[in-house]
Amino acid sequence: MTPRIVAVALAVAALAGCNRPRPVLLCHNSNCVGTLDASRDDTMPALQASLELGPSVLDGVEIDAVWQNNYCHFAHDVGDPAAPLLVDALDVVVDYLQRVGPPHSGATFTLLLELKSAGDANADLNRCVSRAVTTLERVSHDVPIQLLISSFDQKLLKARALKRVAAPLDMQLGAEIWTTSDLGALRSSLDFVSVTPSDTDAPAYSRYADQGYDVALWNEGVTPTFLDAVALHAPRYVSVGEAAVMRGWIGN
């Protein structure tokens, strides 16, 4: 057993008697099976393997969207010529939902779609995402879906804020931020903020709560620091690579 796993196990044991928060548990970067290997982030094999964890573990999954070769692709960053199309990744998720149904936790299945900045091609990416949203809206008639759309790019977020989707698709808009981020005029358009514990201090959590935002807390692994942040600040969403470990801590 590695020192990191021992430390996590001790943190889990220390909190065993606590009243734990029950956040919506998402698969970080569609990569939640095996060792923490960032090279598998937002790849089709990792997405398919992660979904096999099933509804007893996962409440949802995070998918990143990039613009390259004149279309939106499923990838963590631009540059992989073999990256599948975004619609192909969404088809895998839709097939999963139609086969297995909603999460066992009772949560609505949640898809976190992070839009990577495309610069001058932001409008093209935005149109492509609109088509993906339409596809998910059709599916949500049969299997309820909550769609979270986030980005570090405020221009993309402003464009998405103008395209709110009516029921039955529940769509929330959020900013991926650092402690130095200035949300400016975008504040009133946001439903949540996506942060990592290493870049977020306790006063920041209080500000988010005061402003009415939900928090999506993310990390590659389940660490004592991460568990402390979840226990102390009770984020609405948790996106983590070690989803099965996190589910063991949260409980069913």
Side-chain angles (χ1 to χ4, degrees), residues 33-126:
V33 175
T35 58
L36 293 173
D37 179 1
S39 69
R40 286 170 50 83
D41 285 358
D42 294 294
T43 61
M44 199 68 86
L47 171 62
Q48 292 167 327
S50 298
L51 288 173
E52 289 305 311
L53 289 171
S56 64
V57 173
L58 295 180
D59 294 322
V61 66
E62 176 189 357
I63 283 179
D64 291 341
V66 304
W67 181 263
Q68 66 177 31
N69 301 327
N70 295 316
Y71 210 77
C72 46
H73 291 256
F74 169 50
H76 193 58
D77 293 297
V78 175
D80 179 5
L85 297 178
L86 175 62
V87 292
D88 293 337
L90 294 180
D91 283 346
V92 170
V93 174
V94 168
D95 176 71
Y96 164 82
L97 286 173
Q98 291 174 333
R99 284 188 295 107
V100 308
H104 291 175
S105 67
T108 300
F109 185 87
T110 300
L111 176 65
L112 171 57
L113 181 61
E114 183 185 339
L115 311 184
K116 303 290 186 171
S117 178
D120 292 341
N122 268 358
D124 297 309
L125 176 60
N126 193 31

XYZ file of all heavy atoms in Angstrom, residues 33-126:
695
model
N -10.889 4.916 -14.030
C -10.562 3.508 -13.808
C -9.054 3.334 -13.932
O -8.419 3.893 -14.825
C -11.291 2.602 -14.813
C -10.847 1.152 -14.663
C -12.798 2.697 -14.623
N -8.489 2.540 -13.031
C -7.048 2.289 -13.083
C -6.265 3.370 -12.363
O -6.801 4.144 -11.566
N -4.965 3.419 -12.648
C -4.105 4.403 -11.991
C -4.393 5.804 -12.515
O -5.004 5.971 -13.578
C -2.628 4.073 -12.249
O -2.393 4.053 -13.665
C -2.264 2.724 -11.664
N -3.950 6.811 -11.756
C -4.137 8.195 -12.179
C -3.183 8.479 -13.344
O -1.998 8.735 -13.139
C -3.870 9.148 -11.018
C -4.872 9.063 -9.855
C -4.404 9.934 -8.696
C -6.262 9.475 -10.313
N -3.709 8.416 -14.548
C -2.905 8.585 -15.768
C -3.571 9.659 -16.620
O -4.553 9.407 -17.319
C -2.831 7.255 -16.521
C -2.025 7.350 -17.810
O -1.498 8.446 -18.121
O -1.919 6.320 -18.519
N -3.015 10.884 -16.555
C -3.634 12.012 -17.249
C -3.642 11.838 -18.761
O -4.446 12.475 -19.446
C -2.906 13.310 -16.886
N -2.789 10.979 -19.294
C -2.772 10.768 -20.746
C -4.056 10.099 -21.230
O -4.360 10.122 -22.423
C -1.563 9.923 -21.162
O -1.683 8.584 -20.702
N -4.821 9.523 -20.309
C -6.096 8.888 -20.671
C -7.289 9.820 -20.494
O -8.423 9.438 -20.792
C -6.302 7.620 -19.828
C -5.419 6.465 -20.252
C -5.474 5.305 -19.243
N -6.815 4.899 -18.887
C -7.591 4.072 -19.593
N -7.131 3.557 -20.731
N -8.797 3.736 -19.175
N -7.044 11.039 -20.004
C -8.143 11.988 -19.817
C -8.852 12.250 -21.139
O -8.209 12.475 -22.167
C -7.618 13.317 -19.262
C -7.261 13.242 -17.792
O -7.444 12.174 -17.185
O -6.791 14.273 -17.255
N -10.180 12.236 -21.091
C -11.004 12.554 -22.264
C -10.617 11.720 -23.474
O -10.410 12.234 -24.574
C -10.903 14.054 -22.579
C -11.513 14.892 -21.473
O -12.733 14.815 -21.273
O -10.754 15.607 -20.792
N -10.532 10.417 -23.254
C -10.325 9.471 -24.355
C -11.475 8.479 -24.352
O -12.061 8.187 -23.299
C -8.996 8.716 -24.218
O -8.997 7.966 -22.992
C -7.810 9.678 -24.233
N -11.788 7.953 -25.492
C -12.931 7.055 -25.587
C -12.749 5.768 -24.774
O -13.689 5.341 -24.079
C -13.211 6.737 -27.054
C -14.602 6.201 -27.296
S -15.903 7.447 -27.000
C -15.928 8.246 -28.608
N -11.558 5.115 -24.794
C -11.413 3.914 -23.960
C -11.621 4.193 -22.475
O -12.257 3.399 -21.772
C -9.972 3.461 -24.244
C -9.657 4.000 -25.595
C -10.373 5.323 -25.652
N -11.098 5.328 -21.989
C -11.265 5.651 -20.572
C -12.728 5.959 -20.261
O -13.237 5.568 -19.202
C -10.378 6.825 -20.191
N -13.410 6.667 -21.148
C -14.832 6.961 -20.942
C -15.640 5.679 -20.858
O -16.466 5.503 -19.941
C -15.353 7.837 -22.083
C -16.866 8.060 -22.133
C -17.365 8.775 -20.875
C -17.257 8.851 -23.384
N -15.410 4.776 -21.791
C -16.174 3.525 -21.805
C -15.887 2.692 -20.555
O -16.813 2.140 -19.944
C -15.845 2.749 -23.080
C -16.364 3.440 -24.338
C -15.784 2.877 -25.622
O -14.627 2.431 -25.657
N -16.567 2.886 -26.688
N -14.609 2.608 -20.171
C -14.254 1.839 -18.975
C -14.828 2.486 -17.713
O -15.297 1.798 -16.802
C -12.737 1.722 -18.868
N -14.809 3.804 -17.663
C -15.312 4.510 -16.487
C -16.806 4.307 -16.307
O -17.297 4.119 -15.180
C -14.986 6.001 -16.591
O -13.586 6.217 -16.616
N -17.545 4.363 -17.392
C -18.990 4.163 -17.304
C -19.330 2.766 -16.796
O -20.400 2.558 -16.208
C -19.644 4.415 -18.663
C -19.689 5.876 -19.110
C -20.214 5.981 -20.542
C -20.536 6.729 -18.172
N -18.416 1.822 -16.995
C -18.658 0.464 -16.504
C -18.644 0.394 -14.979
O -19.056 -0.615 -14.400
C -17.619 -0.504 -17.092
C -17.804 -0.776 -18.577
C -19.200 -1.277 -18.913
O -19.665 -2.216 -18.223
O -19.831 -0.731 -19.844
N -18.172 1.469 -14.320
C -18.316 1.517 -12.865
C -19.780 1.457 -12.470
O -20.126 0.995 -11.378
C -17.680 2.792 -12.307
C -16.154 2.879 -12.342
C -15.701 4.282 -11.967
C -15.525 1.843 -11.423
N -20.630 1.954 -13.366
C -22.063 1.786 -13.206
C -22.741 2.797 -12.301
O -22.097 3.638 -11.664
N -24.065 2.700 -12.235
C -24.872 3.684 -11.490
C -24.742 3.580 -9.978
O -25.194 4.477 -9.268
C -26.296 3.372 -11.958
C -26.255 1.927 -12.338
C -24.892 1.697 -12.925
N -24.140 2.502 -9.469
C -23.932 2.418 -8.025
C -22.763 3.299 -7.581
O -22.649 3.633 -6.402
C -23.672 0.966 -7.604
O -22.475 0.483 -8.188
N -21.892 3.670 -8.541
C -20.744 4.532 -8.238
C -20.956 5.933 -8.775
O -20.839 6.926 -8.059
C -19.436 3.938 -8.812
C -18.282 4.927 -8.641
C -19.117 2.615 -8.140
N -21.276 6.039 -10.058
C -21.285 7.335 -10.732
C -22.660 8.004 -10.716
O -23.678 7.366 -10.983
C -20.840 7.178 -12.182
C -19.395 6.734 -12.429
C -19.134 6.631 -13.927
C -18.402 7.686 -11.780
N -22.647 9.299 -10.434
C -23.822 10.139 -10.628
C -23.737 10.888 -11.953
O -24.712 11.515 -12.379
C -23.937 11.178 -9.507
C -24.212 10.544 -8.156
O -24.975 9.560 -8.108
O -23.655 11.035 -7.151
N -22.570 10.851 -12.577
C -22.400 11.561 -13.838
C -20.957 11.521 -14.298
O -20.115 10.839 -13.709
N -20.678 12.287 -15.343
C -19.353 12.242 -15.967
C -19.022 13.617 -16.529
O -19.918 14.378 -16.919
C -19.320 11.158 -17.069
C -20.241 11.508 -18.223
C -17.905 10.909 -17.563
N -17.725 13.938 -16.536
C -17.247 15.183 -17.150
C -16.660 14.881 -18.520
O -15.877 13.944 -18.682
C -16.175 15.843 -16.284
C -15.582 17.089 -16.918
C -14.368 17.631 -16.186
O -14.001 17.070 -15.133
O -13.774 18.608 -16.678
N -17.038 15.690 -19.505
C -16.527 15.579 -20.868
C -16.016 16.950 -21.299
O -16.684 17.963 -21.084
C -17.640 15.089 -21.818
C -17.860 13.580 -21.636
C -17.330 15.417 -23.265
C -18.962 13.013 -22.512
N -14.830 16.977 -21.885
C -14.269 18.228 -22.390
C -14.484 18.325 -23.901
O -14.419 17.314 -24.612
C -12.772 18.316 -22.100
C -12.479 18.480 -20.616
O -13.401 18.886 -19.885
O -11.352 18.210 -20.195
N -14.731 19.542 -24.361
C -14.966 19.783 -25.789
C -13.947 20.789 -26.315
O -13.782 21.869 -25.741
C -16.380 20.306 -26.021
N -13.271 20.434 -27.397
C -12.310 21.337 -28.043
C -12.711 21.526 -29.506
O -13.423 20.691 -30.085
C -10.859 20.800 -27.963
C -10.454 20.539 -26.531
C -10.702 19.528 -28.793
N -12.250 22.623 -30.081
C -12.511 22.892 -31.489
C -11.225 22.681 -32.285
O -10.209 23.314 -32.026
C -13.010 24.324 -31.682
C -13.315 24.644 -33.117
C -12.499 25.275 -34.018
C -14.515 24.327 -33.830
N -13.113 25.369 -35.244
C -14.354 24.793 -35.156
C -15.701 23.698 -33.491
C -15.344 24.648 -36.127
C -16.688 23.553 -34.447
C -16.508 24.033 -35.743
N -11.266 21.747 -33.225
C -10.125 21.544 -34.112
C -10.626 20.889 -35.399
O -11.663 20.224 -35.412
C -9.039 20.687 -33.461
C -9.424 19.245 -33.192
C -8.277 18.439 -32.600
O -7.427 18.957 -31.874
N -8.218 17.149 -32.908
N -9.891 21.119 -36.463
C -10.261 20.561 -37.776
C -11.704 20.881 -38.145
O -12.435 20.038 -38.681
C -10.036 19.043 -37.801
C -8.594 18.672 -37.518
O -7.678 19.406 -37.891
N -8.384 17.551 -36.850
N -12.118 22.102 -37.809
C -13.442 22.604 -38.176
C -14.606 21.829 -37.573
O -15.684 21.769 -38.157
C -13.590 22.631 -39.711
C -12.628 23.611 -40.340
O -12.462 24.742 -39.860
N -11.948 23.189 -41.397
N -14.380 21.269 -36.391
C -15.490 20.618 -35.697
C -15.145 20.484 -34.220
O -13.986 20.631 -33.823
C -15.796 19.233 -36.288
C -17.258 18.863 -36.151
C -18.223 19.422 -36.999
C -17.688 18.009 -35.145
C -19.571 19.121 -36.844
C -19.032 17.700 -34.991
C -19.963 18.260 -35.846
O -21.287 17.969 -35.695
N -16.170 20.209 -33.379
C -15.889 20.028 -31.958
C -15.595 18.561 -31.669
O -16.306 17.666 -32.135
C -17.017 20.561 -31.073
S -18.668 20.137 -31.536
N -14.543 18.366 -30.907
C -14.050 17.031 -30.601
C -14.045 16.796 -29.096
O -14.047 17.727 -28.290
C -12.624 16.863 -31.146
C -12.547 16.817 -32.624
N -12.343 15.653 -33.349
C -12.661 17.807 -33.551
C -12.318 15.929 -34.639
N -12.512 17.226 -34.787
N -14.016 15.514 -28.751
C -13.905 15.066 -27.367
C -12.418 14.886 -27.067
O -11.785 13.942 -27.535
C -14.670 13.746 -27.218
C -14.441 13.007 -25.930
C -14.542 13.641 -24.702
C -14.157 11.641 -25.943
C -14.343 12.943 -23.520
C -13.971 10.936 -24.767
C -14.061 11.587 -23.552
N -11.839 15.826 -26.332
C -10.411 15.783 -26.013
C -10.136 16.764 -24.884
O -10.903 17.704 -24.658
C -9.575 16.137 -27.234
N -9.019 16.545 -24.191
C -8.666 17.441 -23.095
C -8.027 18.728 -23.608
O -8.188 19.793 -23.012
C -7.714 16.740 -22.128
C -7.551 17.461 -20.825
N -8.614 17.754 -19.998
C -6.463 17.965 -20.208
C -8.191 18.390 -18.932
N -6.887 18.555 -19.033
N -7.315 18.618 -24.718
C -6.675 19.779 -25.325
C -6.631 19.590 -26.836
O -6.751 18.462 -27.342
C -5.237 19.972 -24.801
C -5.206 20.354 -23.332
O -5.735 21.440 -23.005
O -4.674 19.572 -22.525
N -6.429 20.688 -27.532
C -6.256 20.631 -28.982
C -4.921 19.959 -29.299
O -3.955 20.091 -28.553
C -6.290 22.054 -29.582
C -5.983 22.025 -31.065
C -7.635 22.705 -29.321
N -4.872 19.225 -30.402
C -3.597 18.684 -30.846
C -3.585 17.204 -31.135
O -2.652 16.698 -31.764
N -4.614 16.478 -30.689
C -4.670 15.043 -30.964
C -5.449 14.822 -32.251
O -6.675 14.960 -32.270
C -5.341 14.311 -29.806
C -5.455 12.808 -30.056
O -4.923 12.329 -31.078
O -6.081 12.124 -29.219
N -4.772 14.464 -33.360
C -5.478 14.309 -34.633
C -6.479 13.159 -34.627
O -7.385 13.114 -35.466
C -4.347 14.050 -35.632
C -3.220 13.510 -34.811
C -3.328 14.183 -33.484
N -6.328 12.242 -33.670
C -7.232 11.086 -33.610
C -8.379 11.290 -32.628
O -9.160 10.356 -32.391
C -6.447 9.839 -33.219
N -8.499 12.475 -32.057
C -9.565 12.719 -31.080
C -10.929 12.495 -31.713
O -11.206 13.004 -32.802
C -9.467 14.145 -30.544
N -11.813 11.733 -31.044
C -13.149 11.490 -31.602
C -13.999 12.758 -31.578
O -13.698 13.717 -30.868
C -13.730 10.421 -30.675
C -13.000 10.601 -29.391
C -11.624 11.072 -29.750
N -15.052 12.749 -32.347
C -15.989 13.864 -32.332
C -16.737 13.893 -30.996
O -16.975 12.850 -30.373
C -16.980 13.745 -33.483
C -16.400 13.797 -34.901
C -17.515 13.622 -35.928
C -15.647 15.096 -35.135
N -17.140 15.076 -30.608
C -17.902 15.224 -29.371
C -19.188 14.404 -29.426
O -19.565 13.763 -28.443
C -18.226 16.702 -29.144
C -19.115 17.020 -27.941
C -18.446 16.607 -26.636
C -19.475 18.508 -27.922
N -19.847 14.411 -30.572
C -21.118 13.682 -30.681
C -20.921 12.189 -30.463
O -21.817 11.510 -29.951
C -21.800 13.935 -32.045
C -22.279 15.371 -32.142
C -20.876 13.589 -33.202
N -19.751 11.652 -30.815
C -19.496 10.226 -30.599
C -19.379 9.914 -29.114
O -19.871 8.882 -28.646
C -18.223 9.800 -31.337
C -18.373 9.861 -32.848
O -19.523 9.794 -33.330
O -17.346 9.977 -33.546
N -18.727 10.801 -28.378
C -18.634 10.605 -26.924
C -20.015 10.709 -26.276
O -20.355 9.920 -25.381
C -17.680 11.624 -26.324
N -20.815 11.659 -26.723
C -22.160 11.806 -26.173
C -23.019 10.588 -26.496
O -23.849 10.171 -25.682
C -22.817 13.076 -26.708
C -22.173 14.388 -26.263
C -22.921 15.575 -26.870
C -22.138 14.504 -24.748
N -22.822 10.000 -27.673
C -23.558 8.777 -28.025
C -23.245 7.651 -27.037
O -24.133 6.870 -26.672
C -23.205 8.327 -29.446
C -23.905 9.149 -30.517
O -24.853 9.883 -30.179
O -23.489 9.071 -31.693
N -21.981 7.554 -26.613
C -21.592 6.528 -25.638
C -22.319 6.762 -24.314
O -22.830 5.830 -23.690
C -20.058 6.536 -25.428
C -19.668 5.655 -24.239
C -19.350 6.054 -26.686
N -22.393 8.013 -23.889
C -23.077 8.345 -22.638
C -24.577 8.066 -22.757
O -25.192 7.495 -21.848
C -22.829 9.814 -22.256
C -23.663 10.199 -21.035
C -21.353 10.059 -21.983
N -25.166 8.451 -23.882
C -26.600 8.230 -24.089
C -26.910 6.732 -24.092
O -27.889 6.288 -23.474
C -27.058 8.885 -25.406
C -28.456 8.413 -25.792
C -27.022 10.406 -25.278
N -26.079 5.944 -24.775
C -26.284 4.497 -24.789
C -26.213 3.921 -23.379
O -27.028 3.067 -23.000
C -25.233 3.842 -25.686
C -25.330 2.323 -25.669
O -26.302 1.775 -26.228
O -24.429 1.682 -25.068
N -25.258 4.409 -22.605
C -25.126 3.968 -21.207
C -26.398 4.267 -20.422
O -26.926 3.404 -19.703
C -23.922 4.667 -20.587
C -23.867 4.612 -19.080
C -23.363 3.491 -18.414
C -24.314 5.689 -18.303
C -23.308 3.449 -17.034
C -24.262 5.651 -16.925
C -23.760 4.526 -16.288
O -23.717 4.476 -14.918
N -26.912 5.479 -20.566
C -28.109 5.864 -19.824
C -29.318 5.028 -20.224
O -30.139 4.649 -19.381
C -28.404 7.344 -20.044
C -27.490 8.321 -19.315
C -27.776 9.745 -19.765
C -27.665 8.192 -17.814
N -29.431 4.762 -21.507
C -30.578 3.977 -21.977
C -30.488 2.523 -21.523
O -31.505 1.861 -21.355
C -30.671 4.081 -23.493
C -31.067 5.485 -23.957
C -31.031 5.659 -25.450
O -30.279 4.972 -26.164
N -31.814 6.598 -25.965
N -29.264 2.041 -21.304
C -29.086 0.653 -20.848
C -29.246 0.500 -19.347
O -29.868 -0.459 -18.882
C -27.697 0.142 -21.255
C -27.538 -0.219 -22.710
C -26.204 -0.895 -22.970
N -25.053 -0.019 -22.733
C -24.227 -0.120 -21.695
N -24.429 -1.061 -20.764
N -23.206 0.706 -21.569
N -28.673 1.436 -18.564
C -28.589 1.222 -17.118
C -29.519 2.119 -16.308
O -29.787 1.842 -15.143
C -27.146 1.401 -16.605
C -26.170 0.549 -17.399
C -26.723 2.867 -16.660
N -29.986 3.213 -16.895
C -30.897 4.091 -16.173
C -30.178 5.057 -15.251
O -28.962 5.258 -15.349
N -30.907 5.683 -14.323
C -30.362 6.754 -13.481
C -29.440 6.221 -12.392
O -29.418 5.022 -12.104
C -31.612 7.391 -12.873
C -32.614 6.278 -12.854
C -32.345 5.454 -14.077
N -28.678 7.094 -11.754
C -27.797 6.691 -10.650
C -28.581 6.102 -9.483
O -29.723 6.480 -9.231
C -27.125 8.008 -10.235
C -27.268 8.917 -11.408
C -28.550 8.542 -12.066
N -27.947 5.193 -8.763
C -28.595 4.580 -7.611
C -28.725 5.541 -6.445
O -29.514 5.316 -5.530
C -27.810 3.341 -7.166
C -27.891 2.209 -8.142
N -27.189 1.033 -7.991
C -28.585 2.074 -9.312
C -27.447 0.221 -9.007
N -28.289 0.835 -9.817
N -27.934 6.620 -6.456
C -27.970 7.588 -5.355
C -29.271 8.372 -5.315
O -29.571 9.033 -4.323
C -26.810 8.576 -5.495
O -27.006 9.387 -6.645
N -30.024 8.316 -6.418
C -31.244 9.114 -6.502
C -31.039 10.443 -7.201
O -32.007 11.154 -7.479
N -29.783 10.785 -7.489
C -29.491 12.016 -8.219
C -29.869 11.865 -9.680
O -29.894 10.755 -10.220
C -28.010 12.368 -8.093
N -30.164 12.977 -10.335
C -30.328 12.973 -11.784
C -28.959 12.806 -12.421
O -27.985 13.408 -11.969
C -30.950 14.303 -12.253
O -32.210 14.460 -11.626
C -31.128 14.323 -13.764
N -28.858 11.981 -13.470
C -27.563 11.825 -14.120
C -27.074 13.198 -14.588
O -27.802 13.949 -15.235
C -27.648 10.877 -15.316
C -26.301 10.612 -15.939
C -25.483 9.590 -15.467
C -25.828 11.402 -16.978
C -24.240 9.355 -16.018
C -24.584 11.175 -17.545
C -23.781 10.147 -17.059
N -25.821 13.512 -14.247
C -25.265 14.829 -14.519
C -24.114 14.732 -15.504
O -23.180 13.947 -15.304
C -24.768 15.492 -13.216
O -25.869 15.624 -12.312
C -24.176 16.866 -13.496
N -24.198 15.511 -16.559
C -23.124 15.604 -17.543
C -22.496 16.984 -17.427
O -23.167 18.001 -17.620
C -23.669 15.392 -18.956
C -22.666 15.552 -20.098
C -21.583 14.482 -20.027
C -23.369 15.497 -21.446
N -21.211 17.017 -17.056
C -20.466 18.273 -16.996
C -19.682 18.420 -18.291
O -18.800 17.621 -18.587
C -19.521 18.279 -15.794
C -18.515 19.434 -15.708
C -19.216 20.780 -15.725
C -17.648 19.302 -14.474
N -20.041 19.421 -19.067
C -19.403 19.656 -20.358
C -18.537 20.912 -20.241
O -19.053 22.021 -20.125
C -20.476 19.842 -21.434
C -20.017 20.074 -22.872
C -19.204 18.882 -23.371
C -21.221 20.298 -23.786
N -17.215 20.712 -20.234
C -16.302 21.860 -20.152
C -15.869 22.267 -21.556
O -15.349 21.442 -22.322
C -15.072 21.547 -19.313
C -14.158 22.769 -19.182
C -12.859 22.507 -18.461
O -12.769 21.518 -17.714
O -11.905 23.305 -18.659
N -16.058 23.533 -21.875
C -15.712 24.055 -23.191
C -14.337 24.710 -23.121
O -14.116 25.659 -22.366
C -16.755 25.087 -23.644
C -18.220 24.671 -23.518
C -19.120 25.767 -24.091
C -18.472 23.345 -24.198
N -13.407 24.194 -23.906
C -12.061 24.763 -23.959
C -12.054 25.960 -24.909
O -12.638 25.900 -26.006
C -11.062 23.711 -24.447
C -11.038 22.441 -23.614
C -10.429 22.681 -22.244
C -10.273 21.379 -21.475
N -9.514 21.526 -20.237
N -11.396 27.009 -24.495
C -11.371 28.228 -25.309
C -10.889 27.943 -26.725
O -9.894 27.239 -26.936
C -10.457 29.262 -24.653
O -10.392 30.430 -25.438
N -11.610 28.488 -27.707
C -11.259 28.290 -29.114
C -10.853 29.593 -29.793
O -10.735 29.648 -31.021
C -12.435 27.651 -29.853
N -10.691 30.663 -29.006
C -10.236 31.932 -29.578
C -11.188 32.459 -30.638
O -12.388 32.608 -30.396
N -10.669 32.712 -31.812
C -11.483 33.256 -32.904
C -12.579 32.295 -33.352
O -13.527 32.710 -34.016
C -10.594 33.615 -34.093
C -9.675 34.795 -33.799
O -9.962 35.544 -32.851
O -8.663 34.948 -34.515
N -12.434 31.017 -32.993
C -13.426 30.012 -33.401
C -14.439 29.719 -32.299
O -15.182 28.739 -32.379
C -12.723 28.712 -33.819
N -14.491 30.573 -31.261
C -15.456 30.358 -30.176
C -16.884 30.220 -30.689
O -17.654 29.392 -30.215
C -15.400 31.523 -29.178
C -14.432 31.265 -28.034
O -13.827 30.202 -27.949
N -14.282 32.242 -27.160
N -17.248 31.035 -31.679
C -18.622 30.998 -32.197
C -18.908 29.647 -32.857
O -20.022 29.116 -32.749
C -18.843 32.135 -33.188
N -17.904 29.087 -33.526
C -18.083 27.771 -34.150
C -18.278 26.697 -33.087
O -19.160 25.834 -33.213
C -16.859 27.426 -35.011
C -16.676 28.387 -36.165
O -17.650 28.606 -36.913
O -15.564 28.916 -36.333
N -17.453 26.729 -32.041
C -17.601 25.767 -30.957
C -18.965 25.913 -30.292
O -19.634 24.919 -29.996
C -16.485 25.972 -29.923
C -16.560 25.100 -28.661
C -16.505 23.621 -29.021
C -15.432 25.457 -27.697
N -19.405 27.135 -30.097
C -20.682 27.390 -29.455
C -21.844 26.808 -30.264
O -22.768 26.211 -29.716
C -20.864 28.888 -29.253
C -22.013 29.211 -28.321
O -22.307 28.443 -27.404
N -22.681 30.323 -28.550
